[in-house]
Amino acid sequence: MPSGEHAAARGGDAPGRPGSVTGLVVRHASHEDVAALVRIRTHYVLHTHSAFDTVPPSRADLDDWLTQFDEATAHQLVVAVRDGEVLGYAATLRYRPKPAFDGTVEMSVYLAPGRTAAGVGSALYRELLARSAAHGTRTWLAGVALPNDASLAFHRKHGFEVVGTFVDYARKWDRDISTTWLQRRLPAPAR
């Protein structure tokens, strides 16, 4: 599954904080969540340009994809759940497979249809940023397929800054797609 794709998401704070999304639990994803992940991902594959896949994922695809995430590393997959329903997911993925990039991850977030602008995305990102920072992440990257003003605003809200745009570098449905890349960094440690 390609990374760096983002659904529009904005609003609220993480559970237990002022402005929290009532009853929302953000936790590490498990294989029991795969059916919900397939439903969410399929929506974006079939109805948006933000997922660069052209064929919806199968359960086997996402079961396999899930194996790259581990709570004991910076590479995490979290889900937001309320009353047993998965409302969205977010991931920190390996940026490049070289040790020099161990402190950098690529972030991705997808919300169930109808769950945007309700604080779910913010709850997912706050939890994911904290988890990955605890495992040594210093730089977070995110790619937003254009146009998507809501996702750009969402990432800026979470401390990301625009670093550049790849113009017409992907193609889906006979349409060229540009992607703006954003970066969030921790301050450099004192020497």
Side-chain angles (χ1 to χ4, degrees):
M1 170 183 302
S3 62
E5 303 144 2
H6 304 276
R10 50 189 177 191
D13 288 6
R17 296 188 183 143
S20 68
V21 180
T22 305
L24 189 70
V25 174
V26 176
R27 61 167 171 75
H28 191 73
S30 71
H31 288 283
E32 288 76 36
D33 300 315
V34 168
L37 300 178
V38 168
R39 279 192 303 277
I40 293 168
R41 184 69 180 189
T42 295
H43 168 79
Y44 289 96
V45 170
L46 296 177
H47 302 289
T48 77
H49 66 282
S50 67
F52 295 132
D53 307 279
T54 56
V55 176
S58 68
R59 285 184 67 111
D61 293 336
L62 290 190
D63 264 328
D64 183 52
W65 181 69
L66 198 70
T67 63
Q68 70 185 296
F69 302 103
D70 185 338
E71 284 187 275
T73 72
H75 308 113
Q76 304 255 337
L77 176 63
V78 294
V79 292
V81 181
R82 182 186 305 130
D83 298 328
E85 179 187 0
V86 175
L87 305 180
Y89 68 92
T92 46
L93 299 117
R94 177 172 290 285
Y95 173 62
R96 292 197 175 168
K98 298 188 185 309
F101 295 105
D102 284 351
T104 301
V105 296
E106 192 173 331
M107 293 186 73
S108 182
V109 61
Y110 287 94
L111 303 180
R115 299 301 183 172
T116 60
V120 176
S122 286
L124 285 164
Y125 254 36
R126 281 178 174 44
E127 180 68 17
L128 200 53
L129 287 162
R131 284 175 179 236
S132 62
H135 291 288
T137 299
R138 297 193 62 247
T139 303
W140 294 264
L141 305 175
V144 177
L146 303 176
N148 196 335
D149 291 340
S151 188
L152 290 171
F154 170 80
H155 284 89
R156 285 186 186 109
K157 171 183 170 179
H158 290 282
F160 287 79
E161 296 178 354
V162 171
V163 293
T165 299
F166 289 118
V167 178
D168 298 341
Y169 85 125
R171 191 161 182 80
K172 183 175 177 179
W173 303 325
D174 294 321
R175 180 177 154 222
D176 291 327
I177 302 168
S178 299
T179 296
T180 291
W181 282 85
L182 300 98
Q183 176 182 33
R184 175 181 164 147
R185 295 180 32 212
L186 286 179
R191 294 184 183 196

